[in-house]
Amino acid sequence: MSDLKQPVRRKSLSKSKAAVPAKAVGKALRQRGPKPVDRATMIEIFRRLKEANPEPKGELDYTNPYTLLVAVTLSAQATDVGVNKATKELFRVADTPQKMLELGEDGLRQHIKTLNFFNTKAKNVIAMARRLVEEFGGKVPNSVEILETLPGVGRKTASVVVNIAFGDPRIAVDTHIFRVANRLPLVVTKTPLETQAALEALIPKEYLLHAHHWLILHGRYTCKARRPECWRCPVNDLCRYPDKTIP
């Protein structure tokens, strides 16, 4: 008879262990993490990044706003080096939306078949070209909101294009920028969109235009995901990341 009472005890014990909700634990852990740097420190971070690279440039090859739009669209799930190889010949024959339409989807696929998801990308680029020709006179609009309505174009792509092609101070948050921004941290955020809004509101205006490039290049070559090269980081002493690496 005594065995019949054991499940009751186990149930009671299990309930006791679950007394602290998982959300509360997660919140406590986040609270113990480093808080975002203050404004003076943020200014110094960007001053140093600018000093190290006064005129940062993106690594995708392009000749005009349209080829930039195409290159950034093709870069999803692909490397900049791979995209540049694919577009080297493509942009010689199709550097405008009208020429891209004349090349056609089959012709475009032959140029970009080395890229991931090239069939979907070819379909989107041709549909994008058609809309640009029919609705915008073959011009790339300087508007994130309009660009986001084009096939294959999301917020990140649209932000990159207006930033580079038109000098619009936008922060296009990719995996590198999200990591660097939350590792320093400049901000503590959960999503790329939240990160973009926070960075655009906080980064001083004199650094905002090139901030996208400074952060992405820093994340790509220094503040790497698996093993950041903290020993050669120009903002090492300002960074609050607790797990710094040594050579």
Side-chain angles (χ1 to χ4, degrees):
M1 294 293 291
S2 61
D3 290 342
L4 296 177
K5 296 180 181 180
Q6 293 304 315
V8 176
R9 288 183 181 179
R10 287 196 293 269
K11 183 177 180 181
S12 177
L13 180 61
S14 175
K15 184 177 181 180
S16 176
K17 286 184 177 180
V20 181
K23 287 184 178 180
V25 174
K27 182 178 181 180
L29 290 174
R30 287 194 298 272
Q31 288 176 341
R32 288 203 297 267
K35 295 182 179 180
V37 300
D38 55 52
R39 182 170 179 80
T41 303
M42 181 179 290
I43 291 173
E44 178 61 15
I45 287 172
F46 282 103
R47 188 197 68 76
R48 293 186 193 181
L49 293 176
K50 179 180 180 180
E51 183 178 53
N53 188 0
E55 294 293 332
K57 303 294 182 184
E59 297 182 320
L60 287 172
D61 295 335
Y62 66 97
T63 58
N64 56 37
Y66 174 66
T67 55
L68 173 64
L69 175 60
V70 172
V72 179
T73 301
L74 295 177
S75 71
Q77 302 297 316
T79 66
D80 288 357
V81 172
V83 173
N84 289 339
K85 288 181 179 178
T87 58
K88 183 176 181 180
E89 292 300 324
L90 172 63
F91 291 159
R92 290 179 180 175
V93 297
D95 61 351
T96 68
Q98 184 59 50
K99 290 179 181 178
M100 192 67 75
L101 284 177
E102 293 169 1
L103 179 63
E105 194 172 320
D106 290 338
L108 174 56
R109 273 198 293 265
Q110 292 306 307
H111 285 280
I112 66 171
K113 59 185 178 182
T114 57
L115 302 178
N116 291 330
F117 311 110
F118 68 91
N119 283 316
T120 299
K121 289 177 179 179
K123 182 178 180 180
N124 284 337
V125 169
I126 293 300
M128 178 202 304
R130 183 171 292 108
R131 278 201 59 196
L132 290 174
V133 169
E134 294 177 352
E135 299 179 30
F136 303 100
K139 303 294 184 182
V140 175
N142 179 11
S143 168
V144 167
E145 292 71 25
I146 293 176
L147 288 173
E148 281 187 289
T149 69
L150 298 177
V153 178
R155 172 60 63 92
K156 184 179 73 173
T157 295
S159 297
V160 170
V161 171
V162 299
N163 176 260
I164 298 176
F166 304 113
D168 190 347
R170 294 281 187 146
I171 307 291
V173 178
D174 68 349
T175 181
H176 297 298
I177 292 180
F178 183 80
R179 179 177 66 256
V180 172
N182 281 275
R183 185 179 272 175
L184 283 167
L186 300 175
V187 294
V188 176
T189 51
K190 297 179 181 179
T191 66
L193 187 59
E194 182 184 349
T195 306
Q196 178 173 353
L199 290 176
E200 289 178 355
L202 292 171
I203 293 174
K205 289 184 179 180
E206 62 265 35
Y207 298 113
L208 191 54
L209 178 60
H210 293 310
H212 164 80
H213 284 119
W214 284 319
L215 293 176
I216 195 172
L217 293 173
H218 186 63
R220 184 173 292 170
Y221 297 112
T222 303
C223 195
K224 300 175 182 179
R226 293 187 178 181
R227 190 169 186 265
E229 299 181 5
C230 302
W231 61 90
R232 66 182 190 88
C233 173
V235 296
N236 185 306
D237 59 313
L238 303 177
C239 175
R240 299 179 178 180
Y241 181 58
D243 301 322
K244 291 186 173 66
T245 57
I246 57 176

